[in-house]
């Protein structure tokens, strides 16, 4: 990471020691055990891994100790993947403009958006991807040995660098205006939600509409399954079809 960002400001070297785990709860309480396992084993391993990547990049002789830039933008009424794609776009474009930058290291909690950032084909948020590809085309043409790296950083781990940026973004104001900018995926979700709400209204609040022959399905907790578009819908996955 040639550009000296917050990720390069740590003075720690090498891999930190993991804290001693606390006493695990009774394994019969599966939920509590999973929380303990993450907080005492997985989270520490993730942070140690990310610290190692950051320290290795920081140890390079041409990496500075100053923050080059810090910015935040309101993307509009968009979905999480598109907001992450927007953030990656601004980070990559700005980093490639730093004189002498030969390595860019990006930590993100949405690795799917990182892959989409390098995909110029038609998709929601394509403008961000095209901007990334254009910036990288010029950057790699200047020196084919330049390096761009993406690393997955789960938000719930609250790794210091990533969490600092998250807290910084929380200070953004609400989306301004009565008609904020929307993306293709956000518009699709808006329309799908309206259709889903109409289904619920017709079939579950007005019993006369469905009639006596309408099939009612229950989930494993004996609750009525309601229509949903998430993960392929609700009825078909429940029926294992």
């Amino acid at each position: 990471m040639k550009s000296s960002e917050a990720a390069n400001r740590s003075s720690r070297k090498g891999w930190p020691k993991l804290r001693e785990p606390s006493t695990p709860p009774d394994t019969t309480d599966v939920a509590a055990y999973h929380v303990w396992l993450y907080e005492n084993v997985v989270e520490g391993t993730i942070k140690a891994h990310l610290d190692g990547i950051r320290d290795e990049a920081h140890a390079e002789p041409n990496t500075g100790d100053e923050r080059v830039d810090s910015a935040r933008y309101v993307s509009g009424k968009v979905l999480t993947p598109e907001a992450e794609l927007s953030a990656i776009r601004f980070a990559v474009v700005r980093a490639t403009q730093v004189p002498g930058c030969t390595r860019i290291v990006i930590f993100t909690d949405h690795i799917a958006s990182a892959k989409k950032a390098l995909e110029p084909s038609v998709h929601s948020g394509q403008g961000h991807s095209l901007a990334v590809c254009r910036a990288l085309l010029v950057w790699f043409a200047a020196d084919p040995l330049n390096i761009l790296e993406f690393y997955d950083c789960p938000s719930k781990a609250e790794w210091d660098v990533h969490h600092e940026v998250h807290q910084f973004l929380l200070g953004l104001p609400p989306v301004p205006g009565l008609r904020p900018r929307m993306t293709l995926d956000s518009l699709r979700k808006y329309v799908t939600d309206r259709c889903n709400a109409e289904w619920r209204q017709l079939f579950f609040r007005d019993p006369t509409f469905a009639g006596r022959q309408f099939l009612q399905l229950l989930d494993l907790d004996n609750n009525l399954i309601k229509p949903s578009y998430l993960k392929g819908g609700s009825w078909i996955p429940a029926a294992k079809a």
Side-chain angles (χ1 to χ4, degrees):
M1 188 185 300
K2 172 60 176 65
S3 58
S4 46
E5 306 167 352
N8 288 332
R9 295 188 288 112
S10 171
S11 60
R12 289 177 292 178
K13 302 297 180 183
W15 288 59
K17 296 181 179 179
L18 300 180
R19 65 184 181 187
E20 292 295 328
S22 60
T23 304
D26 189 345
T27 54
T28 57
D29 188 345
V30 178
Y33 181 73
H34 283 174
V35 171
W36 174 89
L37 186 65
Y38 181 84
E39 292 180 347
N40 291 271
V41 180
V42 179
E43 182 179 317
T45 303
I46 291 173
K47 288 183 176 180
H49 175 64
L50 294 173
D51 281 343
I53 296 170
R54 183 260 311 278
D55 292 344
E56 184 269 335
H58 186 270
E60 292 187 1
N62 62 343
T63 300
D65 289 321
E66 296 180 2
R67 188 191 300 264
V68 172
D69 199 357
S70 178
R72 54 189 179 182
Y73 306 93
V74 175
S75 296
K77 205 168 184 179
V78 301
L79 304 185
T80 299
E82 297 163 327
E84 293 291 337
L85 181 58
S86 173
I88 291 172
R89 177 255 183 98
F90 290 115
V92 170
V93 172
R94 180 66 184 92
T96 56
Q97 294 172 347
V98 176
C101 176
T102 59
R103 183 182 182 189
I104 302 172
V105 181
I106 295 180
F107 299 95
T108 176
D109 61 354
H110 206 280
I111 205 67
S113 293
K115 295 178 180 179
K116 187 170 286 187
L118 305 177
E119 175 55 61
S121 63
V122 177
H123 58 266
S124 186
Q126 182 189 16
H128 296 307
S129 301
L130 293 176
V132 170
C133 292
R134 179 180 177 83
L136 291 178
L137 180 64
V138 176
W139 190 60
F140 282 119
D143 188 349
L145 297 180
N146 285 344
I147 299 174
L148 170 65
E149 298 172 321
F150 290 97
Y151 291 97
D152 192 13
C153 178
S155 294
K156 64 179 181 179
E158 295 188 353
W159 182 53
D160 53 2
V161 176
H162 194 265
H163 189 61
E164 176 186 346
V165 175
H166 176 71
Q167 295 299 115
F168 175 63
L169 293 177
L170 290 179
L172 280 172
V175 177
L178 297 177
R179 300 177 63 86
R181 181 176 59 183
M182 300 180 70
T183 58
L184 179 61
D185 280 354
S186 61
L187 286 170
R188 183 184 294 116
K189 182 178 184 301
Y190 172 74
V191 173
T192 304
D193 284 342
R194 291 188 62 182
C195 292
N196 198 33
E198 188 172 351
W199 269 80
R200 290 171 180 261
Q201 174 69 29
L202 292 175
F203 286 97
F204 298 98
R205 295 184 183 178
D206 184 1
T208 61
F209 182 87
R212 292 180 299 173
Q213 303 302 320
F214 185 74
L215 178 63
Q216 303 282 4
L217 297 178
L218 303 178
D219 60 19
L220 296 178
D221 296 324
N222 209 37
N223 297 318
L224 186 65
I225 297 178
K226 297 183 178 181
S228 172
Y229 65 90
L230 297 175
K231 297 182 180 179
S234 51
W235 290 321
I236 295 179
K240 307 291 185 185

